[in-house]
Amino acid sequence: MKTGCKFGTHRVISPLNVLPQTATKINNDMEIYDNEILIDVMSLNIDSASFTQIEEVCGGDVEKIKKMIMEIVEEKGKMQNPVTGSGGMLIGKVSKIGDKLKGKIDLKEGDKLATLVSLSLTPLKIDTIIDIKKDIDRVDIKGKAILFESGIYSVLPNDMEETLALAALDVAGAPAQARKLVKKDDYVVVLGANGKSGLLCCYEAMKKVGDNGLVVGLVRNEKGRVALEKTGFCHKVVIADAQEPITVLNELMKVSGNKEYDVAINVVNVPNTEMSTILPVKDDGIVYFFSMATSFTKAALGAEGVGKDVNMIIGNGYTRGHAKVTIEDVRESKVIREIFENMYV
């Protein structure tokens, strides 16, 4: 076996001298290097922004969605949406471990795992798409993938269904970041609060703000409001279109007593929500964009345009211990577990 770059640059076809995520095409030959792991893939969890875009282009037609996903993977050697640039993650079973990694990692052949690196950099080959589950952005396939030496992963826990663990781990970065960013007495708003990442962020925020803090969930319709209020994960729930920043600002100020927010967390899956996230936040406050639909050009220029001196954080899907935090939340909260089981299992 040959040894490749730990970051996977040996797989890049074009353009040269870039990392696999940036590359437009990578080598998805499934003969592994000695510092790679071969995975038999069971399911892909497509990033929400990516799946929404694909579904819209295909008019919701399942066969067209299958065809588009196959074409993307065949062209790029990976599942990276050419419009959103995002990917997702996968679950599968370890098929083979490169000689250099054997005994140095906590994996063995046959282990079931979820990769915690994006499909936008993961060499992937799809033999067959078995099923498309549009309501949960999941694609069940028969295929193979490569995990690089630098790639992060989580062995699937034994005390929950694989699909439940996958649903949670798919957004593991969001609740872990919420745990780090939110402080006691903070006023916090979560945009897209009734989605799976939103629920987890609200849950973490409620644990942190204490008696004098405020957690507000922003949802787009009455159905979302009712569902979110039932969880008890927010002090207040606001209905507003996140693409209408002045409306959002006015509604959020009403429930906060005109006090600006310390932290805003954006987990929506549609574009043009940057200013709705920025406007309610006080100077020196924190704006966390977890959504892959975010335009960071719009966010940067928009904040400048309204004179907002806020600390904007790119939605890094990784923070130390993020998988552990998220699985802990699912184990700890009967409400979260029940919602996720009803939706994803």
Side-chain angles (χ1 to χ4, degrees), residues 10-308:
H10 57 285
R11 291 269 179 179
V12 172
I13 294 175
S14 64
L16 296 177
N17 302 315
V18 300
L19 291 164
Q21 199 278 332
T22 310
T24 55
K25 187 175 183 61
I26 63 175
N27 178 358
N28 64 349
D29 181 342
M30 291 295 134
E31 182 177 343
I32 66 170
Y33 286 66
D34 69 1
N35 59 339
E36 294 180 334
I37 299 166
L38 180 65
I39 301 168
D40 288 325
V41 182
M42 300 156 57
S43 296
L44 309 175
N45 244 43
I46 305 296
D47 170 74
S48 181
S50 172
F51 195 93
T52 298
Q53 190 273 333
I54 291 171
E55 187 176 12
E56 287 176 353
V57 168
C58 296
D61 186 293
V62 169
E63 293 307 313
K64 289 181 179 179
I65 293 172
K66 287 182 180 180
K67 183 181 178 185
M68 188 169 179
I69 289 171
M70 291 292 288
E71 287 175 349
I72 290 171
V73 174
E74 286 170 9
E75 179 183 346
K76 291 177 169 287
K78 56 181 178 173
M79 180 55 216
Q80 183 178 32
N81 185 306
V83 176
T84 66
S86 55
M89 58 178 291
L90 64 82
I91 59 171
K93 187 179 289 187
V94 176
S95 174
K96 192 173 183 180
I97 298 172
D99 292 341
K100 186 179 176 182
L101 299 181
K102 286 180 179 177
K104 296 180 180 179
I105 56 175
D106 60 343
L107 282 179
K108 61 183 183 300
E109 292 174 4
D111 281 348
K112 289 182 180 178
L113 83 170
T115 59
L116 302 178
V117 291
S118 176
L119 293 174
S120 64
L121 60 82
T122 302
L124 175 67
K125 183 164 285 188
I126 300 177
D127 298 322
T128 306
I129 295 180
I130 299 168
D131 192 19
I132 300 278
K133 294 182 170 64
K134 294 195 295 181
D135 54 334
I136 56 175
D137 306 338
R138 192 167 75 227
V139 182
D140 294 332
I141 73 164
K142 181 180 179 182
K144 294 185 182 296
I146 299 289
L147 186 66
F148 300 131
E149 182 181 352
S150 61
I152 53 176
Y153 57 86
S154 176
V155 177
L156 294 176
N158 295 320
D159 60 342
M160 60 184 68
E161 294 284 343
E162 294 163 3
T163 48
L164 173 60
L166 176 62
L169 291 169
D170 184 35
V171 294
Q177 290 282 10
R179 180 180 288 191
K180 286 171 59 176
L181 297 174
V182 176
K183 310 298 183 194
K184 188 181 179 193
D185 300 334
D186 275 354
Y187 274 40
V188 181
V189 58
V190 179
L191 294 85
N194 61 321
K196 60 182 176 180
S197 50
L199 288 171
L200 287 161
C201 287
C202 290
Y203 178 70
E204 282 291 341
M206 284 291 278
K207 292 196 293 183
K208 295 295 290 292
V209 299
D211 294 338
N212 296 318
L214 178 72
V215 177
V216 179
L218 185 85
V219 298
R220 61 183 176 182
N221 54 39
E222 179 65 15
K223 181 181 177 182
R225 181 192 67 78
V226 171
L228 185 56
E229 284 185 344
K230 284 182 180 178
T231 67
F233 293 168
C234 296
H235 296 102
K236 302 285 184 179
V237 180
V238 168
I239 300 174
D241 186 340
Q243 295 176 318
E244 298 178 2
I246 297 300
T247 300
V248 169
L249 175 64
N250 290 337
E251 292 301 314
L252 291 178
M253 289 300 103
K254 284 180 187 177
V255 297
S256 71
N258 286 320
K259 181 178 177 180
E260 291 183 309
Y261 289 74
D262 300 281
V263 181
I265 299 172
N266 183 323
V267 289
V268 300
N269 61 4
V270 294
N272 300 317
T273 64
E274 294 81 8
M275 294 312 298
S276 291
T277 317
I278 292 166
L279 283 179
V281 178
K282 69 180 186 180
D283 281 352
D284 294 324
I286 295 171
V287 176
Y288 174 49
F289 289 110
F290 184 73
S291 169
M292 290 296 104
T294 302
S295 163
F296 298 101
T297 301
K298 291 178 182 178
L301 295 179
E304 175 188 292
V306 296
K308 277 285 183 178

